[in-house]
Amino acid sequence: MNRLWVWISVVILGVVLLVSLFPVVYRLVEERNAPPGPPPDSIPFEERTPEHFRQMGERRAWINLSRTLAVAAIFGLIAGVLLTRWLVAPLRQLEQGAKAIAKHQLDFRVPLKGSTEMRLVASSFNQMATELEIQEILRRKMLADVTHELRHPIHVIQGNLRAILDEVYPLNMQEIDKLLEQTSNLTALVDDLHELALAEAKELPLNKQGTDLTLMVANTMEIFQPLASNKGVTLASELPSQPVDGRLDPTRIRQALHNLLGNAMQYTPEGGEIKVVLTRSGEWAEIEVRDTGIGIPPENLPRVFDRFYRADPSRNRNIPGTGLGLAIAQAIVQAHSGEIQAASAGVNQGSTFTIRLPLQSSSQNVLEDQVRK
Ligand code: ADP
């Protein structure tokens, strides 16, 4: 019976018994020290002296006190048992809750009962259960999304191969090229998923080194320039005259920037404009990618960084993409302890994506390098 309520009850019983025993022991000692002779109540009434009456009164008072204490002990014990059971009842519910969560009953919630402390513990437990439930829903959604996204290119490849075997399509270079494109889509999707899984598990390997963001943005602009010219989109940048040095993984940050610029390119029609602005404020760098493209409706803004999120398909018709680019960019930026935000005044009002990155001071870089060596 190693139960908390039993232990507390035993302690209460012990204390009560000790208090009850005190007058009994005291009385025994008194009687031992009493003057020799018969007890006063056995002496005939007319022979009793005032001292005998005093002794008799004292004795009666002790007997009454002992009885009162005995009754108090019984009531105290009952009250103690009830009180401790009431006190530990929320703990039992917590125990049941923990068992339910262990059995994957993630919707189990503990009632908020008992003392303030117990309520706080129960409320924290419920918060934990809610968080686990959300994560489980996200995990299932991710699995469903991944399956759905993988199924599409596989079905296309299977269909085309079947058509070639049935001689519906001829086996020529053009058909093989189509199949190759589908396998490339599949590879891109699997690669993106792998990167995202690593980033979300906080296992994305970051090779941080001294990086000049001014140079990186300038180089990226050069890479995107021919694409912009082909599409008839103006590509401009506003860069500081000084290098913006930070301790970052240049490959990953370039990848995030490519994702943002790639989207800006995709969602900005001919005649539009894309501008990349790099600024430094204290120990932070800010990269803004502004476009005058199709914009994002306000209700969709909070979801653009969700995995597989693609806005209204009718707007995205014929625009290739996995819906993972922004999720990956966000994961990369967060792995650098930075922030990424999306803003848009609405449909056809253009969009602005902003990356904020902390730049560790150069003294810190030197220190880290020394530790590494
Ligand atoms: P995708 O591969 O579909 O581009 P992303 O994760 O990069 O996936 O983007 C998610 C969605 O966010 C896109 O499908 C698009 O609806 C919206 N989006 C992203 N960038 C822009 C932009 N610059 N302008 C308008 N919509 C955008």
Side-chain angles (χ1 to χ4, degrees):
M1 284 299 270
N2 194 15
R3 291 249 164 203
L4 188 59
W5 73 268
V6 175
W7 281 106
I8 298 178
S9 304
V10 167
V11 169
I12 292 178
L13 181 67
V15 171
V16 169
L17 278 178
L18 211 70
V19 174
S20 319
L21 277 178
F22 175 70
V24 178
V25 172
Y26 186 82
R27 180 70 204 151
L28 284 175
V29 173
E30 280 281 289
E31 273 175 10
R32 212 170 205 226
N33 297 338
D41 27 0
S42 62
I43 300 170
F45 186 77
E46 52 285 358
E47 287 175 27
R48 289 178 193 164
T49 62
E51 176 56 20
H52 287 143
F53 283 115
R54 193 195 60 77
Q55 282 177 8
M56 279 169 64
E58 202 176 67
R59 193 162 179 252
R60 221 162 281 141
W62 277 115
I63 290 168
N64 285 344
L65 182 65
S66 305
R67 281 188 193 143
T68 313
L69 281 172
V71 173
I74 293 166
F75 276 111
L77 184 64
I78 295 169
V81 169
L82 291 179
L83 180 75
T84 47
R85 289 194 74 115
W86 174 77
L87 274 176
V88 300
L91 281 180
R92 281 218 209 98
Q93 274 156 351
L94 274 177
E95 181 199 0
Q96 281 171 8
K99 281 183 181 158
I101 297 287
K103 284 184 198 155
H104 281 268
Q105 286 174 27
L106 300 181
D107 56 346
F108 193 98
R109 296 293 178 274
V110 174
L112 302 184
K113 276 197 207 156
S115 62
T116 310
E117 292 83 356
M118 288 295 181
R119 280 165 188 263
L120 279 176
V121 174
S123 151
S124 304
F125 180 92
N126 288 347
Q127 241 173 321
M128 179 200 73
T130 309
E131 197 50 46
L132 285 174
E133 202 178 4
I134 292 173
Q135 289 306 322
E136 180 61 14
I137 292 169
L138 286 179
R139 193 186 66 80
R140 285 194 198 152
K141 186 178 177 303
M142 164 92 170
L143 207 62
D145 286 343
V146 170
T147 324
H148 177 264
E149 293 296 320
L150 287 176
R151 197 182 289 144
H152 177 67
I154 291 174
H155 278 180
V156 173
I157 294 170
Q158 267 181 343
N160 283 19
L161 286 172
R162 168 69 38 213
I164 291 170
L165 278 178
D166 293 347
E167 295 181 358
V168 177
Y169 295 159
L171 178 57
N172 58 26
M173 288 301 170
Q174 207 185 348
E175 288 305 320
I176 293 177
D177 192 47
K178 268 196 221 161
L179 287 174
L180 188 67
E181 196 187 313
Q182 286 303 323
T183 56
S184 306
N185 288 348
L186 212 53
T187 313
L189 181 63
V190 172
D191 287 349
D192 279 0
L193 276 171
H194 180 63
E195 298 254 295
L196 196 60
L198 285 180
E200 290 189 349
K202 310 250 177 291
E203 283 172 10
L204 193 71
L206 285 186
N207 180 17
K208 284 192 182 180
Q209 48 190 272
T211 306
D212 176 10
L213 283 173
T214 313
L215 194 67
M216 181 193 289
V217 176
N219 288 343
T220 310
M221 298 305 282
E222 272 175 32
I223 295 170
F224 275 83
Q225 198 60 62
L227 236 96
S229 307
N230 276 350
K231 204 179 169 187
V233 169
T234 313
L235 184 61
S237 62
E238 217 176 277
L239 305 177
S241 48
Q242 302 288 321
V244 175
D245 286 319
R247 189 149 189 86
L248 312 159
D249 181 332
T251 316
R252 297 291 178 194
I253 297 298
R254 200 175 293 116
Q255 186 185 358
L257 190 57
H258 274 226
N259 287 0
L260 296 192
L261 261 171
N263 279 350
M265 250 351 153
Q266 268 185 334
Y267 300 108
T268 305
E270 194 181 340
E273 206 180 295
I274 298 170
K275 190 167 191 181
V276 182
V277 181
L278 170 68
T279 46
R280 178 184 186 145
S281 105
E283 286 302 294
W284 286 81
E286 199 170 276
I287 309 172
E288 252 183 26
V289 180
R290 303 178 195 155
D291 67 58
T292 58
I294 64 170
I296 303 166
E299 67 273 17
N300 292 352
L301 270 177
R303 299 183 49 210
V304 288
F305 294 103
D306 289 357
R307 316 176 193 111
F308 296 115
Y309 173 76
R310 303 204 74 209
D312 180 4
S314 60
R315 295 201 311 141
N316 281 352
R317 216 180 4 229
N318 302 329
I319 299 181
T322 57
L324 289 175
L326 287 181
I328 291 174
Q330 184 183 47
I332 290 174
V333 172
Q334 285 176 350
H336 282 83
S337 310
E339 296 161 8
I340 186 165
Q341 280 168 356
S344 172
V347 176
N348 294 328
Q349 306 283 309
S351 315
T352 301
F353 285 83
T354 311
I355 292 179
R356 289 188 79 235
L357 290 168
L359 305 165
Q360 290 173 12
S361 64
S362 41
S363 55
Q364 203 171 339
N365 298 352
V366 173
L367 249 168
E368 278 185 22
D369 285 343
Q370 279 173 354
V371 169
R372 208 165 289 134
K373 277 172 199 162

